[in-house]
Amino acid sequence: MKKAVIAALLLVLAGAGIGWGLSAPTRMSAQEAALLTEGDAARGELVFWAGGCASCHAAKGADGEDLLKLGGGLRLETPFGVFVAPNISPSEADGIGAWSLVDFANAMTHGTSPGGENLYPAFPYTSYVRMSAADLGDLFAFLKSLPIVEGKAAAHELGFPFNIRRGLGLWKRLFLDPAPVIASPLNGADVDRAVWERGRYLVEGPGHCGECHTPRDFAGGLVLADWLGGAPAPTGEGKIPNITPVEGGFGSWSAADIAYYLESGFTPEYDSVGGEMVHVQENMARLPASDREAIAAYLKAIPPVSAGSD
Amino acid sequence: MRIIRNATTLGLIAGLGLAGAVAQAAADPIPTRQAIMSSVGAAAGLGGGMMKGEIAYAPAAGKAAIATMRAASLSFGNFFPAGSDKGNSDAAAKVWSDAAGFAAQLAKFTAATASAAEASGKSGPADLDAFKEAFGPVLGTCKSCHETYRKQK
């Protein structure tokens, strides 16, 4: 891990130093912004669960209605320091109550705050960048309908140079890409293309599954060649499993097994889900069955990553 | 859908597995607690399979699943002595560093199996609906313990 931290450090310093222009925060183009329309809060609720926003922005251990109080405060410990999830409730003073839809979309898809600062990728906008304009509009409408929580969350605890947001510009140029990771279903897979694409959208976009299940390189960017091939757990003990269709591994799960796991939390052997996957599974359980089936169809038809490559 | 007719046999195997596990208890706590959890997984598979309709329901099988859970919930907590965090175990360090939290999860598990055992009575829940009502809450207690007290895969 130490080596990775030093490499990332050099990248950040380079980002801060290399021409100011290269590290400037980017924003949506006028054409992209024009696609955004005020959405529907009821539809936005499903986008909210698919996106797992409550897992980071609600209080630690929150349950039931408390999952909708997005006052922030959860501490995310990483090798770069501690990130504290901010307040994204509709409070004008402390949350995002005063933000426009375009401000919100710039944060979600460009990692850029309304004030023009780079946001840290501990906020998984590297996945959210693939979200559709319609979903962003609906999600924003839903967030606006949630309870106001007063009070700002604590500041991040980051050492130099990670505390310089400007330095992230170069990192974003390297790792922020809206293109799909997997272009098409695995050759020979017998899948309905539209269902598979819905699954791809959920996994690669709002579901941000790759942020945990894909290994990272020296600079903290995802190694796309090993997409969903498993990774060491960033926090806590143990490993995050490979969820590609490898023989002798996850490949033995049928599509129905995967959909049932996302619905109930039970593996085909009736072991129960644990660790950080618990929140994700509970969020997936709130989506329509067709979405869980789409995720399963996608996971069954992506390139297998052989064991040990992480 | 594959229907396993001989659900009772499966249940008995699950239950017997547990009895065997407890017998070797004192020797080594890690394989013992793992064998207990493995019987919990087997009982969940039997109960879950009946709930999904993949295994035909029989009251005796329902009773076997519940009784296995009951015994496991009462014994599991006894096999985490100090020092048994080292070795071939998936138990997370938090079991020992946050013993009160772990005890609270165990208490939830034990309470759920107690109600299930009561509903099960002498001959097991009479029909599938009664079984679902009794067994569902037991299945609801696995996640929150694994979330914090077991290492990630």
Side-chain angles (χ1 to χ4, degrees), chain A residues 237 239 271-272 275-276 281, chain B residues 92-93 143 146 150 152-153:
Chain A
E237 304 159 278
K239 254 178 41 206
D271 193 345
S272 148
E276 290 195 278
Q281 181 270 316
Chain B
K143 254 196 277 205
H146 284 194
R150 182 161 73 149
Q152 302 187 126
K153 290 213 165 113

Side-chain angles (χ1 to χ4, degrees), chain A residues 60 233 235-241 260-261 264-267 269-279 281-282, chain B residues 40-42 44-49 52 54 91-94 139-144 146-148 150-153:
Chain A
K60 189 181 160 98
T235 56
E237 304 159 278
K239 254 178 41 206
I240 302 191
Y260 185 68
Y261 176 83
S264 71
F266 287 105
T267 71
E269 288 83 44
Y270 273 89
D271 193 345
S272 148
V273 59
E276 290 195 278
M277 189 61 198
V278 171
H279 277 280
Q281 181 270 316
E282 288 179 345
Chain B
V40 165
L46 170 60
K52 276 205 276 180
E54 288 172 357
K94 275 229 165 156
L139 292 183
T141 61
C142 323
K143 254 196 277 205
S144 56
H146 284 194
E147 179 172 13
T148 313
R150 182 161 73 149
K151 288 180 198 162
Q152 302 187 126
K153 290 213 165 113

Side-chain angles (χ1 to χ4, degrees), chain B residues 2-115:
Chain B
R2 178 174 34 125
I3 303 265
I4 301 175
R5 300 236 168 258
N6 222 339
T8 317
T9 319
L10 272 179
L12 282 177
I13 292 169
L16 287 176
L18 178 64
V22 175
Q24 50 160 277
D28 194 344
I30 294 176
T32 307
R33 68 192 186 219
Q34 286 173 342
I36 295 175
M37 263 300 142
S38 174
S39 74
V40 165
L46 170 60
M50 292 191 294
M51 286 161 79
K52 276 205 276 180
E54 288 172 357
I55 302 174
Y57 181 73
K63 184 177 174 180
I66 290 171
T68 304
M69 291 291 191
R70 178 76 188 136
S73 69
L74 290 173
S75 54
F76 187 58
N78 296 330
F79 298 97
F80 292 86
S84 68
D85 52 334
K86 312 256 176 331
N88 192 12
S89 166
D90 289 331
K94 275 229 165 156
V95 167
W96 294 273
S97 67
D98 175 22
F102 183 61
Q105 292 296 332
L106 260 179
K108 271 196 347 203
F109 186 31
T110 314
T113 62
S115 320

Side-chain angles (χ1 to χ4, degrees), chain A residues 101-172:
Chain A
L101 173 55
V102 176
D103 289 338
F104 176 69
N106 273 317
M108 295 287 289
T109 62
H110 284 253
T112 300
S113 76
E117 284 195 304
N118 288 317
L119 294 167
Y120 290 102
F123 165 33
Y125 54 77
T126 40
S127 294
Y128 297 151
V129 64
R130 301 190 184 90
M131 288 174 69
S132 69
D135 274 0
L136 290 171
D138 291 342
L139 175 57
F140 191 57
F142 179 69
L143 292 176
K144 288 267 194 183
S145 75
L146 296 180
I148 288 177
V149 182
E150 304 293 355
K152 285 208 184 294
H156 304 317
E157 295 160 23
L158 305 170
F160 178 81
F162 301 116
N163 53 359
I164 309 176
R165 288 183 182 271
R166 184 79 187 203
L168 278 166
L170 189 61
W171 191 93
K172 289 206 301 193

